[in-house]
Amino acid sequence: DSGVTQTPKHLITATGQRVTLRCSPRSGDLSVYWYQQSLDQGLQFLIQYYNGEERAKGNILERFSAQQFPDLHSELNLSSLELGDSALYFCASSVGKGERSYEQYFGPGTRLTVT
Amino acid sequence: AQTVTQSQPEMSVQEAETVTLSCTYDTSESDYYLFWYKQPPSRQMILVIRQEAYKQQNATENRFSVNFQKAAKSFSLKISDSQLGDAAMYFCAHTKYAGNMLTFGGGTRLMVKP
């Protein structure tokens, strides 16, 4: 158990819908990262937050957005869903700075299926 | 941009034997960090081992060790005394600096034969 939690574990929804994925980082971790794992694109970085502020953006679609709240949990919002958005979405966290801050610990992922 | 390449889509090893998974990367940075993650059928991403580029000594974690060749930009993972529970996808990953995103390779599926 990495200490990172994600809900829900599975999500099935229809095209055009909107969903919210939730992540709680390990206790004390300030940085949250979102990654998408799909069959054709592999593991790709989407976005990072550090202590409530957006730190970096990767290959995140405009239909996707995220935020990190004062209690450090993060939410990834996916809207106008398409079949190609079906994937495993991971959240990872790290301490953010200091020793071993380069280590990222992953949650169990949310499996999104768009039908 | 950083790239990470794993040239072996699949590997197999006999239980109790040793196997080496290959990884090469491309970066213009002199300091960076490299990782191997394991993804078993449960799909959980588990950090196996990490290597700081500024350290010449190869990292080891129990049965797992790496061969880090900085000049060749190579970072292979050696698993000794392979166990059935080692069967999984293994991903090599790179990050430029602490607090930065991870760039992953395409993964190697390791099968362990009893």
Side-chain angles (χ1 to χ4, degrees), chain B residues 50-89:
Chain B
R50 84 280 291 160
Q51 175 78 43
E52 297 91 334
Y54 62 85
K55 289 187 178 179
Q56 293 186 341
Q57 186 173 8
N58 289 325
T60 61
E61 291 284 348
N62 301 313
R63 298 182 295 107
F64 298 86
S65 61
V66 298
N67 183 5
F68 173 49
Q69 301 288 328
K70 192 171 183 180
K73 295 183 180 176
S74 168
F75 182 61
S76 60
L77 175 69
K78 186 171 84 171
I79 306 174
S80 304
D81 186 24
S82 297
Q83 301 175 0
L84 294 178
D86 294 334
M89 282 290 288

Side-chain angles (χ1 to χ4, degrees), chain B residues 1-64:
Chain B
Q2 283 69 37
T3 58
V4 179
T5 303
Q6 294 178 247
S7 58
Q8 306 152 315
E10 281 191 2
M11 293 280 286
S12 67
V13 63
Q14 207 70 36
E15 197 175 4
E17 297 295 308
T18 295
V19 65
T20 298
L21 308 184
S22 301
C23 172
T24 58
Y25 59 93
D26 188 22
T27 182
S28 57
E29 309 292 326
S30 57
D31 284 332
Y32 47 88
Y33 303 89
L34 297 164
F35 309 88
W36 280 96
Y37 280 87
K38 171 185 178 181
Q39 187 178 42
S42 66
R43 309 307 295 269
Q44 174 79 47
M45 294 289 287
I46 302 165
L47 179 60
V48 173
I49 198 166
R50 84 280 291 160
Q51 175 78 43
E52 297 91 334
Y54 62 85
K55 289 187 178 179
Q56 293 186 341
Q57 186 173 8
N58 289 325
T60 61
E61 291 284 348
N62 301 313
R63 298 182 295 107
F64 298 86

Side-chain angles (χ1 to χ4, degrees), chain A residues 1-5 23-32 68 71-72 91-96 99-107, chain B residues 47:
Chain A
D1 185 358
S2 66
V4 180
T5 61
C23 167
S24 292
R26 294 187 315 163
S27 177
D29 283 359
L30 300 177
S31 226
V32 169
Q68 186 179 28
D71 67 352
L72 301 178
C91 167
S93 74
S94 70
V95 296
E99 190 176 344
R100 305 300 276 266
S101 61
Y102 49 82
E103 292 184 354
Q104 294 184 26
Y105 291 89
F106 282 71
Chain B
L47 179 60

